Amino acid sequence: MQVQSPASVWSAAKFVGKKPVLPTVRAKSLFSSPATTTTTSEDRSPMAASGPKWAQKTITLPPLSRGCHLITPKITKEIDQDLSGFKCGLAHLFLQHTSASLTINENYDSDVRDDTETFLNRIVPEGTSAPWKHTLEGPDDMPAHIKSSMFGCALTVPITNGKLNMGTWQGIWLCEHRDYPTARKVVITLNGI
Amino acid sequence: MQVQSPASVWSAAKFVGKKPVLPTVRAKSLFSSPATTTTTSEDRSPMAASGPKWAQKTITLPPLSRGCHLITPKITKEIDQDLSGFKCGLAHLFLQHTSASLTINENYDSDVRDDTETFLNRIVPEGTSAPWKHTLEGPDDMPAHIKSSMFGCALTVPITNGKLNMGTWQGIWLCEHRDYPTARKVVITLNGI
Amino acid sequence: MQVQSPASVWSAAKFVGKKPVLPTVRAKSLFSSPATTTTTSEDRSPMAASGPKWAQKTITLPPLSRGCHLITPKITKEIDQDLSGFKCGLAHLFLQHTSASLTINENYDSDVRDDTETFLNRIVPEGTSAPWKHTLEGPDDMPAHIKSSMFGCALTVPITNGKLNMGTWQGIWLCEHRDYPTARKVVITLNGI
């Protein structure tokens, strides 16, 4: 699955999180199209950025507790350098799991994330009263699968002038639906000019 | 955020809605790749359209009342001229808000939209019985955030032969989840050949 | 809507399903960009695949019973040959209907799909107790519309080294929400290098 790509663009850059207790994000370079590699910090004129470009990498987010987490800083840290080479494009985030989800929602008040977790737990039965057949992986597993399809495992965000063009109050959330969290992989694909 | 682009392609075209009481949609040009600007109505041969193209603009939808609204005509009016230059591609719509949502659903019977609003209000508690911590912005705010993640804030629709390639009964809905509606911004990104 | 394209790339290939009782998937070629047509099985070097490419086709899935169905084999069978020409890209699947949905979830235990159907039926009222105004098309129709917006009608999956880059346990599901199933059309768009 590994494709050669210049370390300077999609290197396995260390993520320095805001919460120092969290492990480091790990990143695996998958691909950078030739045009991307010409966009260095000294060479960022509109002309240099005008060819269609693709870049793709897999990042590994550290285990997060059950609930909704704002991960915008983790994501932008990973892709900021490469994003700066895109005038216009799309960023696609794809979570490779079926018991967690990605969504875009409020980026300011952590109560919104807590209330969303409260909602999910109210709406999806768990435990002895739940009607699930799939119980071998624990009482939280089937509810986690359902929540994953409710919010989805992928996001596409516009890129404008080298930045993710989200609204003022929008942030990227990873919602962990399992009790015993594990590291989660996200394939990030950038495409644009 | 403003990038020069030819007014003829992504101009701030006035939207003439079907409901004359609604304010005009406002549009801000963000980007058109050079290839796009060569696609005029006199020059639309397959050859002329064969290079990869990108176009991006932000439109501002007028305030809409709480509930689900069919906005296909508003969207196509904004992008029809440019869509005609794409043989094959994808149109991405991104709502820059966390208390409204975009979805694709039935385009004919307004009862479907009313019933969907009824469903959302049944499923997400609101008012004194609701368990939310986030209440500072009004009783309808936290439910609005939850509904936004349930339906999502983004859509990607295939472009085929210059048109959005939706099914016969599909339409684009904006679902407004707040009681006091405000104007809503949508970043539209077109990519294709 | 028909655009000429070489039959060798997006031909109306017969789908050989795992369940022989199901009718054949029908496919309609829509578009292949010139670069794609140069990617044959004898000519698949990284250089040959380096130009941006687009391919688009519509496939018709056979009628499936109400419930959630794993359709990964059906989808990959349709696009495998063309996928092999993409080093890096995105695959977009768009269901042209408003009473079924596409989602990504667990690909192994069919109980997960059954439980998800159980969940959807619990959460969306149906029959005499349901509050719907839209009832002309049967008691299962309005619930089907709601479920369609809950899970959504479109998916975008990363392409890496000629394959859909999903997680180990991820699969593509078609969720049929109507009692009397019909054939369902999916527009598949591939874009990448």
Side-chain angles (χ1 to χ4, degrees):
Chain A
M1 299 284 277
Q2 202 76 17
V3 178
Q4 268 92 306
S5 76
S8 61
V9 177
W10 283 96
S11 62
K14 296 282 183 192
F15 170 72
V16 183
K18 295 210 166 165
K19 297 176 183 168
V21 291
L22 292 178
T24 302
V25 169
R26 281 173 289 131
K28 185 175 75 162
S29 298
L30 291 173
F31 196 84
S32 289
S33 65
T36 307
T37 69
T38 65
T39 309
T40 66
S41 51
E42 304 87 54
D43 177 26
R44 217 170 265 158
S45 65
M47 277 303 116
S50 64
K53 293 178 294 188
W54 286 85
Q56 191 174 75
K57 76 194 300 187
T58 301
I59 67 170
T60 304
L61 297 168
L64 294 165
S65 59
R66 180 168 164 163
C68 302
H69 302 270
L70 186 66
I71 60 164
T72 317
K74 287 183 175 63
I75 298 297
T76 52
K77 191 95 177 181
E78 286 294 325
I79 63 176
D80 251 7
Q81 193 185 351
D82 213 71
L83 270 181
S84 67
F86 290 87
K87 270 277 171 230
C88 171
L90 293 170
H92 180 254
L93 281 66
F94 186 83
L95 183 70
Q96 290 185 308
H97 305 275
T98 62
S99 54
S101 53
L102 291 176
T103 190
I104 288 177
N105 214 310
E106 216 256 1
N107 62 14
Y108 186 73
D109 182 2
S110 65
D111 282 351
V112 176
R113 302 194 284 280
D114 292 345
D115 287 346
T116 301
E117 171 68 7
T118 298
F119 167 75
L120 290 170
N121 294 337
R122 282 198 158 210
I123 220 73
V124 186
E126 187 172 334
T128 49
S129 69
W132 317 132
K133 297 195 287 180
H134 178 81
T135 55
L136 269 179
E137 298 176 64
D140 58 318
D141 187 61
M142 190 57 226
H145 288 308
I146 291 169
K147 293 163 185 172
S148 177
S149 277
M150 284 183 72
F151 281 6
C153 68
L155 297 173
T156 307
V157 180
I159 303 169
T160 308
N161 292 329
K163 303 276 183 197
L164 294 182
N165 192 356
M166 293 193 285
T168 308
W169 302 109
Q170 287 183 311
I172 299 169
W173 293 10
L174 173 81
C175 302
E176 174 60 57
H177 303 309
R178 295 303 308 267
D179 284 334
Y180 299 99
T182 52
R184 299 297 196 177
K185 285 188 186 173
V186 179
V187 180
I188 304 179
T189 306
L190 307 181
N191 175 27
I193 51 176
Chain B
M1 301 284 278
Q2 201 77 18
V3 177
Q4 267 92 307
S5 78
S8 61
V9 177
W10 283 98
S11 61
K14 296 284 184 189
F15 170 73
V16 184
K18 295 210 166 164
K19 297 176 183 171
V21 290
L22 292 178
T24 301
V25 169
R26 281 172 290 130
K28 185 174 76 162
S29 298
L30 291 174
F31 196 82
S32 289
S33 65
T36 306
T37 68
T38 66
T39 309
T40 66
S41 51
E42 302 89 54
D43 177 25
R44 218 171 264 158
S45 66
M47 278 300 118
S50 64
K53 293 179 292 187
W54 286 84
Q56 192 175 73
K57 77 196 299 190
T58 300
I59 68 170
T60 303
L61 297 168
L64 293 165
S65 59
R66 179 168 166 165
C68 301
H69 302 269
L70 186 67
I71 61 165
T72 316
K74 288 182 174 65
I75 298 297
T76 52
K77 191 95 180 182
E78 286 293 326
I79 63 177
D80 251 7
Q81 192 184 352
D82 213 71
L83 271 181
S84 67
F86 290 87
K87 272 277 172 228
C88 170
L90 292 170
H92 180 254
L93 282 65
F94 186 82
L95 183 69
Q96 291 185 306
H97 304 274
T98 61
S99 54
S101 54
L102 291 176
T103 192
I104 288 177
N105 214 310
E106 216 257 3
N107 64 13
Y108 186 73
D109 181 2
S110 65
D111 282 351
V112 176
R113 301 193 285 281
D114 293 345
D115 287 345
T116 301
E117 171 68 7
T118 298
F119 168 75
L120 289 170
N121 293 336
R122 282 197 157 211
I123 219 72
V124 186
E126 187 171 334
T128 49
S129 69
W132 318 131
K133 296 194 288 179
H134 177 81
T135 56
L136 270 178
E137 297 176 66
D140 59 320
D141 187 61
M142 190 57 226
H145 288 307
I146 290 169
K147 293 163 185 171
S148 177
S149 276
M150 285 182 71
F151 281 6
C153 68
L155 297 173
T156 306
V157 180
I159 303 169
T160 308
N161 291 331
K163 304 277 183 196
L164 295 182
N165 192 356
M166 292 192 285
T168 308
W169 303 108
Q170 287 183 310
I172 299 168
W173 293 9
L174 174 80
C175 303
E176 173 61 55
H177 304 308
R178 297 304 308 268
D179 283 335
Y180 300 99
T182 51
R184 299 297 195 177
K185 286 188 185 173
V186 179
V187 181
I188 303 178
T189 306
L190 306 181
N191 176 28
I193 51 177
Chain C
M1 301 282 278
Q2 203 77 18
V3 178
Q4 268 90 306
S5 78
S8 61
V9 177
W10 283 97
S11 62
K14 296 282 182 193
F15 170 72
V16 183
K18 296 209 162 161
K19 297 177 183 170
V21 291
L22 291 178
T24 301
V25 169
R26 281 173 289 130
K28 185 174 76 164
S29 298
L30 292 173
F31 196 84
S32 288
S33 65
T36 306
T37 67
T38 66
T39 309
T40 67
S41 52
E42 303 88 53
D43 177 26
R44 218 171 264 158
S45 65
M47 279 300 117
S50 64
K53 294 179 292 187
W54 285 85
Q56 192 174 73
K57 77 196 298 189
T58 300
I59 67 170
T60 303
L61 297 168
L64 294 164
S65 60
R66 180 167 165 165
C68 301
H69 303 268
L70 185 66
I71 60 165
T72 317
K74 288 182 174 65
I75 298 297
T76 52
K77 190 94 178 181
E78 286 293 326
I79 63 177
D80 251 8
Q81 193 184 352
D82 213 71
L83 271 181
S84 67
F86 290 88
K87 270 275 171 230
C88 171
L90 292 170
H92 180 253
L93 281 67
F94 186 82
L95 183 70
Q96 291 185 308
H97 304 275
T98 61
S99 54
S101 53
L102 291 177
T103 191
I104 287 177
N105 215 311
E106 217 256 2
N107 64 13
Y108 186 74
D109 182 2
S110 65
D111 283 350
V112 176
R113 301 194 284 282
D114 292 347
D115 287 346
T116 301
E117 171 68 7
T118 299
F119 168 75
L120 289 170
N121 294 337
R122 280 198 157 210
I123 219 72
V124 185
E126 187 172 335
T128 49
S129 69
W132 317 132
K133 296 195 288 180
H134 177 82
T135 55
L136 270 178
E137 297 176 65
D140 59 320
D141 187 61
M142 190 56 227
H145 288 308
I146 290 169
K147 293 163 185 172
S148 176
S149 276
M150 283 182 73
F151 281 6
C153 67
L155 297 173
T156 306
V157 180
I159 303 168
T160 308
N161 291 330
K163 303 277 184 197
L164 294 183
N165 192 355
M166 293 193 285
T168 308
W169 303 107
Q170 288 183 311
I172 300 170
W173 292 10
L174 174 81
C175 303
E176 174 60 57
H177 303 308
R178 295 302 308 268
D179 284 335
Y180 300 99
T182 51
R184 299 298 196 176
K185 285 187 185 173
V186 179
V187 181
I188 303 179
T189 306
L190 306 181
N191 176 28
I193 52 178

